[in-house]
Structure formats: C-alpha cells, structure tokens
Amino acid sequence: MEISENLIARLQSADSVVFFTGAGISAESGIPTFRGKDGIWNKLKPEELANFNAFMRNPEMVWEWYKYRRGIVHQSKPNDGHIAIARFEEIIKKVSVVTQNIDNLHRRAGSRNIYELHGNIERNYCIKCRTFYNDDLDIKDKVPRCVCGGLIRPDVVWFGEYLPEDQYSGAERVSSACDIFFVVGTTGIVFPAASLIYSAKRAGAYIVEVNVEETEVSSVAGESYFGEAGKILPAIFNKISEKKGT
Ligand code: APR
C-alpha cells in the first residue's frame, strides 16, 4: 500500500496528531459496527435501545442488550489498528485518541491520552445518586440497583443526551490544535462528535481518512486510504518509524 510522500513529510514534522475513531476500527476485533451491511441499526432500533426513555420504559431489555454487547467486548481484544495508534506515541510528541467507541480497546491497546465521547461500556452509574459502579458489577438481578435504591445504567451516551463535558471540551482542544487529524472507521455523521472533524479542519489540521469505503468525510479529507484500519495504520506507522530510524 502506497503512503504519500506528503503524509510522510507531515508526520515527520508533526508535533501533535489526533486519531478520531469510530466503530470501524473495532470491526476487526469482532465488534459489530452500527451502519453498513451488517450494522447493528439495520436489525435493531436505537430509539428502543439507546435512549433514556427506552431505558425507563424497559430497563430489563436495555440491560439485556448491554450485557450482550459487554460480552462481545470482553471476548474481543485490540487489533493491529488500535496497537498502531498506541505505538504512534513512540514517534510523535503528542498523540491523542478521540473515540466514539465505548469498548475500551484503545486503552487496552496502550493508548494513554484518550477522550471517550460516548462513554465506556465497562462503567455504570446510579441514575439517582450518580454513584459509579465498574464492570465487575454483579448484575444479579435483571436490572441492577444502587444501594440507594436507584436504577443503575451503563455509562454510555444515549441518543439525545449530552456528551460528557470534560471529554468533549478536551477533545475539542486537542482537535483544534493538532497538525494531523486522522478519521478512522467512522461514517462521520453523528453529531456533535463528528463536528470535531470540521473544527480540526478549520483550525488548519491536515485531515487523513482511513475507511473501507468513501464517506461524508472523504470530501474534506486531504487524503483517504481505503482499506482495513488494521492494515493501513500499521503500514503508515512502519513507514514513519523506518524514516525516523526507530
Ligand atoms: N477499517 C476501517 N473502517 C471500517 C472497517 C475497517 N475494518 N470496517 C468498517 N469500517 C467503516 C465503515 O465503512 C463505516 O464508515 O467504519 C464505519 C462505521 O460506521 P458506523 O457503524 O456508523 O459507526 P460510527 O461512525 O462509529 O457511529 C457513530 O453512532 O450509533 C452511534 O453512538 C454510536 O458511536 C456511534 C456513532
């Protein structure tokens, strides 16, 4: 796979790089994406599973779905794409990961500066007193309850909910100050997360898309690499580390 001289030169001189990732980077870890041919939303309705009203209407069903997804995440492991992103920290001064994913695979791959825009499936909290429970929550009942009696929910951002302020503002800060902004494995159509692509571009970042197919982002990217992230990202890393003699 050919890496452009332009991208190589930019990466060699870059101080700060952001990897903005979506479900596509975890596809090769066996975690289903949301859209596209086998997308989750082709079979299930987000309004029935991924919003607060659905949870209050039927907490048992929503918990069943998240327990199922959590099971998939627990059986998955970071793939070569996650690992390449973590390894970029060896050769670029400042690397940040801004992810829409809730699967914790970037952290398990070794990335350290991560902004989780949509939460983390391995965390939970009580909707009444906001006590946090981590993943070893012994979900005896179909719907776990807090010691205060409140319902416990997954710590993920549902449709119509605000993104965690600290995560979004931190992501906005690094996206508006980076030299190169990689957009990896996302349709780039869910806002406000996707607005970070345009903030980065407006601030002068060079946008590089990595996806198996064209998306809304392709028209604003400086260059797009079409193929699996688990192959493209290691190829880019190897090329740069070779140039840097690491
Ligand atoms: N490598 C690179 N890209 C891939 C791969 C792969 N191996 N497999 C799939 N893709 C691409 C698809 O072409 C698609 O563009 O990943 C993208 C996945 O898009 P979505 O399923 O829409 O996922 P995402 O963009 O992360 O969705 C954003 O929507 O439902 C909400 O909260 C959910 O965070 C999610 C948000």
Side-chain angles (χ1 to χ4, degrees), residues 4-21:
S4 75
E5 286 307 318
N6 177 21
L7 178 55
I8 291 169
R10 285 175 182 272
L11 278 166
Q12 284 182 297
S13 58
D15 284 331
S16 163
V17 172
V18 168
F19 291 91
F20 177 79
T21 66

Side-chain angles (χ1 to χ4, degrees), residues 10-11 13-20 92-98 113 115 170-183 196-208:
R10 285 175 182 272
L11 278 166
S13 58
D15 284 331
S16 163
V17 172
V18 168
F19 291 91
F20 177 79
I92 304 275
K93 204 155 51 174
K94 187 166 172 20
V95 175
S96 305
V97 174
V98 175
N113 193 21
Y115 298 92
E172 179 107 73
R173 192 177 56 254
V174 296
S175 302
S176 307
C178 66
D179 301 302
I180 304 171
F181 187 91
F182 281 89
V183 182
L196 294 172
I197 303 165
Y198 305 94
S199 309
K201 182 151 178 91
R202 269 196 307 279
Y206 186 65
I207 310 294
V208 181

